[in-house]
Amino acid sequence: MTRRLCALHLAGNALLLCLGYYWLGIGESSLPTLAWSFLLALAILCGTVWLHGTAFAYFQGSLDLRTALREAGRHLLPLVTLGIAVLAVYWLLAQWAAYSPQPAFHVASYLTLKLRKPVRPAAVLTVFSVVLWLVRWALLPLILLPVASAVSRSGWRAFREFRVRGFHHRLYWIVAPLLLLSAFWAPFQLLHWTPLSGGFGVEALSFLIRFTVAYLLFVGACLLLAFTAPRTGSVQPNRP
């Protein structure tokens, strides 16, 4: 049954990536194209949270694949709401990353005045960047993973009655960030890496191999994240 879930994710994520690539090329020159762009973006978001919510329900609820699909589909609205909230938080973090050089300069000036030693704004900005990186790749995902697991199984009730079993396990705090990097950071590094330089055929083959490995790494890491997310003990999933 797990092989069927892997096959579903391999096909589903490929379809979502293709739709996302198509969405990036949609113009906004007229109201109909703008409406089509919005509807397609919403469809991609719904498909993404349904697909990955199914993995959470499958692993965390010990359900068969068909039941997991139904559970995630039944709770699609709260999953989409959670997805939009997460996107909003990460958008705000991106805005802070763009704005941070200004407060870094002020902090460096303040420290220079108080410590009577020169403090470079670049050093303060590096500290800001490290903290932001930890928030993006460790703190927020470690909190959000069990929340997503609970919502995929219990819907709106998970927000009211949420509690986590096993959240204190040190292994989770180590494994989850590594899997996140494997899913969202390592694939891009692999795609941007150019180990072979030569003719068009050699470079095309190199890119195809790297893209395949990156995609498998992304899908595998996402499934392992759903598998390793702490169990939630709020409510039991609805049964038909």
Side-chain angles (χ1 to χ4, degrees):
M1 188 65 70
T2 303
R3 286 179 294 184
R4 293 175 59 187
L5 178 66
C6 292
L8 175 65
H9 268 253
L10 285 171
N13 281 296
L15 177 60
L16 290 170
L17 286 175
C18 290
L19 289 175
Y21 182 78
Y22 168 73
W23 176 77
L24 290 175
I26 297 177
E28 299 178 355
S29 57
S30 63
L31 184 60
T33 56
L34 186 62
W36 170 240
S37 176
F38 173 78
L39 291 175
L40 185 59
L42 183 60
I44 293 172
L45 176 62
C46 291
T48 300
V49 298
W50 190 10
L51 179 65
H52 292 276
T54 296
F56 280 115
Y58 177 85
F59 288 119
Q60 307 301 325
S62 300
L63 307 175
D64 60 83
L65 182 57
R66 182 174 298 180
T67 305
L69 279 166
R70 285 202 303 267
E71 289 294 328
R74 184 180 295 116
H75 303 134
L76 187 60
L77 183 57
L79 281 171
V80 170
T81 302
L82 178 63
I84 292 174
V86 171
L87 290 176
V89 169
Y90 275 86
W91 180 81
L92 290 174
L93 289 176
Q95 299 306 303
W96 164 253
Y99 174 74
S100 57
Q102 182 174 348
F105 176 80
H106 292 305
V107 170
S109 300
Y110 177 80
L111 292 176
T112 299
L113 179 64
K114 292 297 182 180
L115 300 176
R116 299 184 182 277
K117 292 183 180 180
V119 178
R120 295 181 303 168
V124 178
L125 184 59
T126 299
V127 175
F128 283 2
S129 299
V130 170
V131 173
L132 181 61
W133 190 91
L134 290 174
V135 170
R136 277 175 168 172
W137 294 103
L139 181 60
L140 282 178
L142 288 170
I143 296 172
L144 292 171
L145 280 172
V147 175
S149 174
V151 173
S152 67
R153 295 174 53 210
S154 309
W156 296 112
R157 290 183 294 170
F159 293 108
R160 299 193 304 268
E161 306 172 23
F162 177 77
R163 70 177 185 274
V164 180
R165 299 193 301 266
F167 190 71
H168 60 283
H169 289 174
R170 294 180 181 177
L171 184 62
Y172 170 68
W173 290 81
I174 298 173
V175 172
L178 292 177
L179 289 174
L180 283 163
L181 291 174
S182 299
F184 299 104
W185 180 79
F188 287 103
Q189 300 302 312
L190 189 59
L191 289 175
H192 290 130
W193 177 46
T194 308
L196 299 175
S197 59
F200 175 78
V202 174
E203 293 187 1
L205 178 62
S206 172
F207 176 79
L208 180 61
I209 294 174
R210 286 182 285 115
F211 179 83
T212 302
V213 174
Y215 181 68
L216 293 176
L217 185 62
F218 164 73
V219 173
C222 285
L223 288 173
L224 287 174
L225 277 170
F227 176 75
T228 57
R231 272 38 175 193
T232 54
S234 56
V235 287
Q236 297 297 321
N238 297 329
R239 297 295 181 184

